[in-house]
Amino acid sequence: MNDVATMATVLGDWSEANRRHLGAEMTRLRLLLHRRVLWLRRHWAHEGPQDSMTWRISDAQADWLLNGSRDDEESAFYDTDADAIAVTASLRAVEAGIGAIGMEMQQAGAPAALDVLTQLFRLSRIERDVLVMALAPELDGSFERLYAYAQDDLTHRFATPLLAAALLE
């Protein structure tokens, strides 16, 4: 095989592996959003039906907000709710897959693009995750709607610091 054909094969293999790696990161983000939505729906379920043309903060939501943030309740929910436990198990499996793909690419001498950026800019795990959150809507437009839904605000179709903190802590 000549050098050009070999290079094309190597680049094609790297490109495919990099797509799988980034796809797994998108799956991880979708699972983090899913788990957060389960938590939010638990509280939204207490609200009565509203006219879809009317925007208002319900009494139940105001009461929930007045009680303040209860991170311990959210953690307990993730540990005890059957659906949240299943999503967390899927999340752990996807994270293991991300690590395996990344390691495989590293050992092949062609690390994943996200890993290169992480190393080049010395990003922490949270900074890397925030980068993925910012990139996600550019790769898959459905993340805009998911972000808005998870933030209960149609104008927030992007990753905000509050959403990042809610998903990543």
Side-chain angles (χ1 to χ4, degrees):
M1 195 184 287
N2 66 32
D3 289 341
V4 173
T6 302
M7 182 63 85
T9 300
V10 168
L11 287 175
D13 291 346
W14 178 86
S15 182
E16 176 57 34
N18 195 61
R19 267 195 293 281
R20 284 187 307 130
H21 186 261
L22 199 50
E25 288 283 357
M26 297 298 103
T27 299
R28 177 178 178 266
L29 178 56
R30 198 174 298 277
L31 287 167
L32 287 167
L33 284 160
H34 186 176
R35 192 172 64 172
R36 176 69 178 173
V37 164
L38 289 172
W39 165 246
L40 292 171
R41 284 182 180 168
R42 177 179 193 190
H43 293 284
W44 292 341
H46 301 294
E47 297 184 20
Q50 295 180 16
D51 181 338
S52 62
M53 299 303 289
T54 305
W55 185 87
R56 70 178 181 88
I57 304 295
S58 71
D59 293 341
Q61 189 175 27
D63 291 342
W64 182 54
L65 294 169
L66 287 169
N67 285 328
S69 175
R70 298 215 175 128
D71 293 337
D72 55 331
E73 282 183 21
E74 188 172 351
S75 292
F77 173 79
Y78 294 152
D79 292 339
T80 58
D81 181 80
D83 291 333
I85 290 169
V87 170
T88 300
S90 295
L91 184 59
R92 299 299 169 243
V94 167
E95 288 170 343
I98 291 168
I101 295 168
M103 184 64 69
E104 178 183 303
M105 293 179 74
Q106 184 72 35
Q107 289 173 348
L114 189 57
D115 291 342
V116 171
L117 288 172
T118 299
Q119 186 174 18
L120 184 64
F121 292 104
R122 300 172 196 225
L123 301 178
S124 68
R125 180 62 199 192
I126 289 212
E127 290 167 332
R128 174 190 168 114
D129 289 343
V130 168
L131 177 62
V132 170
M133 287 181 71
L135 179 62
E138 299 300 322
L139 298 175
D140 181 345
S142 69
F143 279 99
E144 286 185 356
R145 292 180 61 90
L146 288 169
Y147 288 170
Y149 185 84
Q151 296 177 91
D152 195 23
D153 187 335
L154 289 174
T155 66
H156 284 88
R157 296 178 313 187
F158 48 87
T160 62
L162 288 175
L163 180 61
L167 295 180
L168 304 174
E169 290 185 345

